[in-house]
Short mmCIF file of all heavy atoms in Angstrom, two decimals:
data_model
loop_
_atom_site.label_atom_id
_atom_site.label_comp_id
_atom_site.label_asym_id
_atom_site.label_seq_id
_atom_site.Cartn_x
_atom_site.Cartn_y
_atom_site.Cartn_z
N ALA A 707 6.21 -23.79 23.64
CA ALA A 707 6.06 -25.20 24.04
C ALA A 707 5.28 -25.32 25.35
O ALA A 707 5.63 -24.58 26.22
CB ALA A 707 7.38 -25.96 24.18
N THR A 708 4.24 -26.12 25.25
CA THR A 708 3.47 -26.30 26.58
C THR A 708 3.25 -27.90 26.71
O THR A 708 3.79 -28.68 25.87
CB THR A 708 1.98 -25.76 26.56
OG1 THR A 708 1.31 -26.46 25.63
CG2 THR A 708 2.04 -24.30 26.08
N ALA A 709 2.67 -28.26 27.82
CA ALA A 709 2.44 -29.73 28.05
C ALA A 709 1.18 -30.25 27.26
O ALA A 709 0.74 -31.34 27.38
CB ALA A 709 2.36 -30.05 29.49
N GLU A 710 0.45 -29.37 26.64
CA GLU A 710 -0.77 -29.68 25.92
C GLU A 710 -0.43 -30.18 24.43
O GLU A 710 0.53 -29.71 23.92
CB GLU A 710 -1.61 -28.34 25.75
CG GLU A 710 -2.29 -27.97 27.10
CD GLU A 710 -3.20 -29.05 27.71
OE1 GLU A 710 -4.09 -29.37 26.93
OE2 GLU A 710 -3.03 -29.43 28.87
N PRO A 711 -1.20 -31.09 23.94
CA PRO A 711 -1.10 -31.52 22.56
C PRO A 711 -1.26 -30.27 21.61
O PRO A 711 -1.94 -29.37 21.92
CB PRO A 711 -2.19 -32.48 22.34
CG PRO A 711 -3.16 -32.22 23.35
CD PRO A 711 -2.45 -31.76 24.60
N ALA A 712 -0.39 -30.23 20.55
CA ALA A 712 -0.41 -29.03 19.67
C ALA A 712 -0.38 -29.46 18.20
O ALA A 712 0.34 -30.31 17.90
CB ALA A 712 0.74 -28.16 20.04
N TRP A 713 -1.08 -28.72 17.39
CA TRP A 713 -0.92 -28.83 15.89
C TRP A 713 0.11 -27.93 15.60
O TRP A 713 0.03 -26.68 15.74
CB TRP A 713 -2.26 -28.38 15.36
CG TRP A 713 -2.28 -28.51 13.79
CD1 TRP A 713 -1.76 -27.63 12.94
CD2 TRP A 713 -2.96 -29.50 13.03
NE1 TRP A 713 -2.07 -28.14 11.62
CE2 TRP A 713 -2.72 -29.23 11.71
CE3 TRP A 713 -3.69 -30.75 13.44
CZ2 TRP A 713 -3.22 -30.15 10.76
CZ3 TRP A 713 -4.15 -31.45 12.47
CH2 TRP A 713 -3.87 -31.26 11.12
N LEU A 714 1.29 -28.44 15.08
CA LEU A 714 2.33 -27.59 14.85
C LEU A 714 2.41 -26.97 13.38
O LEU A 714 3.04 -26.00 13.19
CB LEU A 714 3.71 -28.40 15.04
CG LEU A 714 4.02 -28.92 16.43
CD1 LEU A 714 5.34 -29.55 16.58
CD2 LEU A 714 3.84 -27.83 17.51
N GLY A 715 1.83 -27.65 12.52
CA GLY A 715 1.78 -27.21 11.11
C GLY A 715 1.47 -28.26 10.15
O GLY A 715 1.19 -29.41 10.53
N ASP A 716 1.42 -27.93 8.87
CA ASP A 716 1.07 -28.88 7.79
C ASP A 716 1.42 -28.40 6.52
O ASP A 716 1.78 -27.22 6.33
CB ASP A 716 -0.45 -29.09 7.87
CG ASP A 716 -1.26 -27.88 7.81
OD1 ASP A 716 -1.38 -27.33 6.71
OD2 ASP A 716 -1.73 -27.30 8.88
N THR A 717 1.37 -29.31 5.56
CA THR A 717 1.58 -28.89 4.14
C THR A 717 0.18 -28.60 3.46
O THR A 717 0.20 -28.68 2.19
CB THR A 717 2.36 -29.92 3.44
OG1 THR A 717 1.64 -31.14 3.33
CG2 THR A 717 3.85 -30.10 4.07
N LEU A 718 -0.86 -28.52 4.19
CA LEU A 718 -2.24 -28.47 3.65
C LEU A 718 -2.55 -27.07 3.37
O LEU A 718 -3.30 -26.76 2.40
CB LEU A 718 -3.28 -29.17 4.64
CG LEU A 718 -2.89 -30.51 4.95
CD1 LEU A 718 -3.58 -30.97 6.17
CD2 LEU A 718 -3.31 -31.43 3.78
N HIS A 719 -2.13 -26.17 4.17
CA HIS A 719 -2.46 -24.69 3.97
C HIS A 719 -1.33 -23.90 4.61
O HIS A 719 -0.82 -24.20 5.74
CB HIS A 719 -3.85 -24.44 4.66
CG HIS A 719 -4.29 -23.02 4.35
ND1 HIS A 719 -4.17 -21.97 5.23
CD2 HIS A 719 -4.95 -22.59 3.25
CE1 HIS A 719 -4.66 -20.85 4.59
NE2 HIS A 719 -5.13 -21.19 3.31
N ILE A 720 -1.08 -22.75 3.91
CA ILE A 720 0.03 -21.96 4.33
C ILE A 720 -0.15 -21.39 5.81
O ILE A 720 0.93 -21.12 6.44
CB ILE A 720 0.28 -20.80 3.37
CG1 ILE A 720 1.49 -19.99 3.60
CG2 ILE A 720 -0.99 -19.90 3.34
CD1 ILE A 720 2.64 -20.33 2.64
N SER A 721 -1.33 -21.39 6.22
CA SER A 721 -1.58 -20.85 7.56
C SER A 721 -0.89 -21.64 8.70
O SER A 721 -0.69 -21.19 9.74
CB SER A 721 -3.08 -20.78 7.86
OG SER A 721 -3.60 -22.18 7.77
N GLN A 722 -0.73 -22.95 8.37
CA GLN A 722 -0.15 -23.82 9.42
C GLN A 722 -1.10 -24.16 10.58
O GLN A 722 -0.70 -24.19 11.72
CB GLN A 722 1.24 -23.40 10.06
CG GLN A 722 2.25 -23.18 8.96
CD GLN A 722 2.45 -24.47 8.10
OE1 GLN A 722 2.85 -25.51 8.58
NE2 GLN A 722 2.06 -24.42 6.84
N GLY A 723 -2.40 -24.17 10.26
CA GLY A 723 -3.32 -24.48 11.30
C GLY A 723 -4.89 -24.09 10.95
O GLY A 723 -5.72 -24.58 11.65
N ALA A 724 -5.05 -23.47 9.89
CA ALA A 724 -6.43 -22.98 9.48
C ALA A 724 -7.24 -24.25 9.09
O ALA A 724 -8.50 -24.21 9.13
CB ALA A 724 -6.38 -22.03 8.33
N VAL A 725 -6.60 -25.48 8.75
CA VAL A 725 -7.40 -26.62 8.49
C VAL A 725 -8.07 -27.19 9.76
O VAL A 725 -8.93 -28.04 9.65
CB VAL A 725 -6.66 -27.77 7.77
CG1 VAL A 725 -6.06 -27.33 6.48
CG2 VAL A 725 -5.48 -28.23 8.61
N VAL A 726 -7.65 -26.69 10.88
CA VAL A 726 -8.12 -27.29 12.16
C VAL A 726 -9.40 -26.44 12.55
O VAL A 726 -9.29 -25.27 12.80
CB VAL A 726 -7.10 -27.22 13.40
CG1 VAL A 726 -7.65 -27.66 14.66
CG2 VAL A 726 -5.86 -27.93 12.97
N THR A 727 -10.53 -27.13 12.49
CA THR A 727 -11.77 -26.42 12.72
C THR A 727 -12.37 -26.69 14.03
O THR A 727 -13.31 -26.03 14.47
CB THR A 727 -12.80 -26.83 11.60
OG1 THR A 727 -12.90 -28.24 11.64
CG2 THR A 727 -12.34 -26.40 10.19
N ALA A 728 -11.92 -27.80 14.70
CA ALA A 728 -12.46 -27.95 16.08
C ALA A 728 -11.20 -28.74 16.84
O ALA A 728 -10.41 -29.42 16.10
CB ALA A 728 -13.55 -28.88 16.04
N TRP A 729 -11.17 -28.58 18.09
CA TRP A 729 -10.01 -29.14 18.94
C TRP A 729 -10.56 -29.42 20.25
O TRP A 729 -10.94 -28.57 21.06
CB TRP A 729 -9.00 -28.13 18.97
CG TRP A 729 -7.60 -28.44 19.48
CD1 TRP A 729 -7.24 -28.23 20.69
CD2 TRP A 729 -6.60 -29.09 18.85
NE1 TRP A 729 -5.96 -28.68 20.91
CE2 TRP A 729 -5.58 -29.28 19.73
CE3 TRP A 729 -6.42 -29.65 17.49
CZ2 TRP A 729 -4.28 -29.84 19.40
CZ3 TRP A 729 -5.21 -30.24 17.28
CH2 TRP A 729 -4.24 -30.36 18.14
N GLU A 730 -10.65 -30.74 20.58
CA GLU A 730 -11.18 -31.10 21.82
C GLU A 730 -10.27 -32.13 22.48
O GLU A 730 -10.01 -33.13 21.97
CB GLU A 730 -12.59 -31.80 21.62
CG GLU A 730 -13.57 -31.42 22.65
CD GLU A 730 -14.94 -31.98 22.25
OE1 GLU A 730 -15.50 -31.50 21.23
OE2 GLU A 730 -15.37 -32.94 22.94
N ARG A 731 -9.82 -31.80 23.70
CA ARG A 731 -8.80 -32.51 24.29
C ARG A 731 -9.51 -33.42 25.46
O ARG A 731 -10.29 -32.86 26.21
CB ARG A 731 -7.78 -31.57 25.00
CG ARG A 731 -7.13 -31.98 26.28
CD ARG A 731 -5.72 -32.20 26.04
NE ARG A 731 -5.25 -33.39 26.78
CZ ARG A 731 -4.25 -33.41 27.60
NH1 ARG A 731 -3.63 -32.30 27.94
NH2 ARG A 731 -3.92 -34.47 28.22
N GLY A 732 -9.25 -34.72 25.43
CA GLY A 732 -9.79 -35.59 26.51
C GLY A 732 -8.54 -35.84 27.41
O GLY A 732 -7.48 -35.18 27.37
N ALA A 733 -8.76 -36.82 28.43
CA ALA A 733 -7.62 -37.00 29.36
C ALA A 733 -6.47 -37.48 28.67
O ALA A 733 -5.36 -37.10 28.88
CB ALA A 733 -8.17 -38.07 30.42
#
Side-chain angles (χ1 to χ4, degrees):
T708 67
E710 291 295 307
W713 183 279
L714 301 185
D716 55 77
T717 63
L718 301 161
H719 188 262
I720 188 104
S721 59
Q722 303 306 293
V725 298
V726 180
T727 54
W729 189 260
E730 221 173 290
R731 146 120 225 230

